[in-house]
Amino acid sequence: HKILEEIDTDRPLELEHEVRRVVRKVATSALLKQHHDSLTRMIVDAMQTPFGGKLGDVCYASVATKDRLAEMDFDMALTSLRSKVLVSDIGKVVLKSLPSTDVLSEYAEQLSGQEFDIPFGGLLSGSIDAVLRIRPNAGESLRLIITDYKTNKLHTSGAAHPMEAYAPDKLV
């Protein structure tokens, strides 16, 4: 995360040099020092990969530094426990909102079950890896995009095909 936070994307022709500079500054452990070249190449490739979908050819490297808010902490008040909202109520709302083919519909179905008739309320705290302000296409309105870098382990230890956990359809 630290590397992506520090990269200045305002000079796209110098992106590889900038990434290398930040990699050298941040990845200082003995283990990582020997991999600076491959880390630099991997990060440049990831930053130049288009987001796709409704965002088209926009990529992380094309987002100006001023249009990127890194590590945004938040505290969000949820409903009061006195309101008698249940976790299963949230599942029902999500289920009604999603097409049956959506990747989250099975989860929403489970969340709607009686086993989730649990009182819901309190305070939610967390951190968003980055909020990006982008204009997907000329003439379109600016959009705020919430991003998660997915630098965490997604596969199960001992999985026969661990890379399947990182397939594009699993990351969106």
Side-chain angles (χ1 to χ4, degrees):
H1 287 218
K2 186 73 173 160
I3 291 172
L4 291 173
E5 290 171 24
E6 290 200 21
I7 293 172
D8 180 351
T9 54
D10 293 339
R11 293 183 301 269
L13 297 177
E14 300 171 21
L15 181 63
E16 187 167 346
H17 174 73
E18 173 65 6
V19 171
R20 186 175 311 285
R21 179 191 70 76
V22 176
V23 164
R24 285 181 179 150
K25 176 183 172 187
V26 175
T28 58
S29 73
L31 176 65
L32 292 177
K33 279 185 179 182
Q34 62 186 332
H35 298 288
H36 281 183
D37 289 341
S38 58
L39 280 170
T40 298
R41 184 76 254 145
M42 176 186 66
I43 293 168
V44 168
D45 287 349
M47 290 181 69
Q48 292 177 331
T49 300
F51 293 135
K54 292 180 180 181
L55 302 179
D57 291 335
V58 175
C59 63
Y60 192 91
S62 67
V63 178
T65 303
K66 70 177 177 57
D67 291 328
R68 186 176 73 226
L69 176 61
E71 293 298 323
M72 187 180 90
D73 293 330
F74 66 88
D75 294 309
M76 183 172 70
L78 304 174
T79 187
S80 165
L81 289 173
R82 286 181 255 137
S83 69
K84 301 191 189 300
V85 172
L86 303 175
V87 173
S88 60
D89 295 332
I90 296 169
K92 291 170 187 166
V93 169
V94 172
L95 193 60
K96 285 180 185 177
S97 303
L98 296 176
S100 61
T101 56
D102 192 283
V103 69
L104 293 176
S105 62
E106 185 179 328
Y107 172 69
E109 181 79 38
Q110 292 173 353
L111 199 60
S112 299
Q114 286 183 332
E115 61 271 21
F116 287 101
D117 285 346
I118 303 165
F120 178 78
L123 182 70
L124 179 65
S125 295
S127 179
I128 296 170
D129 290 339
V131 177
L132 308 178
R133 182 174 51 191
I134 65 166
R135 186 180 313 275
N137 298 300
E140 288 188 17
S141 299
L142 284 171
R143 294 184 183 184
L144 296 178
I145 307 300
I146 296 172
T147 61
D148 185 7
Y149 296 146
K150 289 299 174 218
T151 55
N152 51 327
K153 177 182 166 186
L154 300 178
H155 67 279
T156 306
S157 295
H161 304 284
M163 292 309 292
E164 289 177 2
Y166 303 90
D169 64 320
K170 304 282 188 193
L171 302 178
V172 177

